[in-house]
Amino acid sequence: MDRRRLTVPVLPDESVSAVLAMPSGKIKQFDTGVIAAHGAGNDMENELLVAFTDGLADAGIPALRFNFPYKEKGLKAPDKQKKLEDTWSAVYRYFREDLSLTVNHIIAAGKSMGGRVASQMVAEKKLPVEGLIFLGYPLHPAGDQSKLRDTHLYSLSVPSLFFAGTRDSLCNLEILQTVLKKLSAPWKLDIIEGGDHSFHLPKSMGISQSDVYDRIVQTSNKWLAMNFGNEKRKSV
C-alpha cells in the first residue's frame, strides 16, 4: 500500500488536502474506488478513516480521504451545507478525472457528518456515486431522538452499508433498524457490539481497536465485492 498526499481544488481560491491510499503495484484499473469524508469533530487524519482507507488499499481498492475547508483552516465549526457539498463534488471530480487510474465504480463513505452529507447529495442526484458506506450515521442529535435525520434516506437508490455501535449516542439502534426496513434501496447493517459513535469499545470487552477497524475493512471489502466486484485488472 502506498500513500500519496494531494491538494484538491474546491473553488478558484480554495483547496483542501487529501490522501490517496493506493494498492501496491502498477495496476491502473480497478473495479471499485472509495472516497471517505470525516465527521464534524475530526479531520481526515481520524484514526478510523486512516485505518479504513489504508485497509481498503491493502485489499486492492484505491481509497481517498480528504479534509473539508473548515478543518483545512483549523476551525472547529463545520462549513455551511453548500460548502460541504461543493467540497464533496470537487473531490469526486478529482478522483474520477484527475488521477492516473481508472475506477469503474466509485463509492462514497463517511464518518458521521461526512456520510450524512454524501447521502443527502446522492438522494438529490448531486453526487453520482454508486454506493454508500456509513461509518456511524448521525441519525439524531445526542440526547434527542425526536429529531431524526432520516427523510432523505428513503430517496436513496444505491446500495448502502451501515456500521452502527450499540452505544452510539447519535444513533439509537432500534430506531435505525426501523428506518432501514423502510428503505427501497438495498442495505446491509453491521452492528458493532459495545461500540460508541466512533466504534470505541469498553476495555472490559478485551477487543483491540485495531481488531474493530479490521472487521470494518473486511466487511466493507466483502460488501464491495458482492455489489460491485473488486477484482483488480491491468489497464490496456
Side-chain angles (χ1 to χ4, degrees), residues 7-99:
T7 300
V8 181
V10 176
L11 297 172
D13 60 347
E14 188 168 41
S15 300
V16 295
S17 299
V19 174
L20 175 65
M22 280 291 295
S24 299
K26 298 181 179 180
I27 297 171
K28 295 295 183 180
Q29 182 167 331
F30 302 87
D31 280 340
T32 56
V34 174
I35 305 171
H38 62 79
N42 45 73
D43 60 18
M44 70 174 182
E45 298 302 336
N46 172 264
E47 62 178 9
L48 170 59
L49 279 193
V50 174
F52 178 69
T53 52
D54 285 359
L56 289 178
D58 283 334
I61 300 170
L64 179 74
R65 50 188 165 90
F66 67 94
N67 275 340
F68 286 112
Y70 75 100
K71 279 300 179 182
E72 195 71 16
K73 299 170 186 175
L75 303 177
K76 292 184 178 180
D79 300 302
K80 300 290 187 181
Q81 179 77 10
K82 185 179 185 305
K83 178 64 72 68
L84 297 173
E85 291 186 359
D86 287 346
T87 305
W88 251 116
S89 294
V91 174
Y92 172 84
R93 287 193 300 270
Y94 187 90
F95 190 86
R96 184 189 63 191
E97 300 172 1
D98 296 340
L99 296 176

Side-chain angles (χ1 to χ4, degrees), residues 120-175:
Q120 289 172 324
M121 294 178 69
V122 171
E124 296 173 6
K125 311 299 183 185
K126 296 179 180 178
L127 187 66
V129 296
E130 297 181 51
L132 290 160
I133 299 176
F134 297 93
L135 301 173
Y137 183 73
L139 184 59
H140 52 74
D144 189 355
Q145 299 176 7
S146 66
K147 298 178 181 179
L148 298 183
R149 303 183 182 100
D150 65 330
T151 303
H152 71 281
L153 296 176
Y154 306 119
S155 298
L156 294 178
S157 59
V158 302
S160 297
L161 172 61
F162 289 79
F163 290 95
T166 57
R167 296 189 303 117
D168 190 343
S169 61
L170 278 71
C171 187
N172 177 277
L173 193 53
E174 291 185 3
I175 299 177

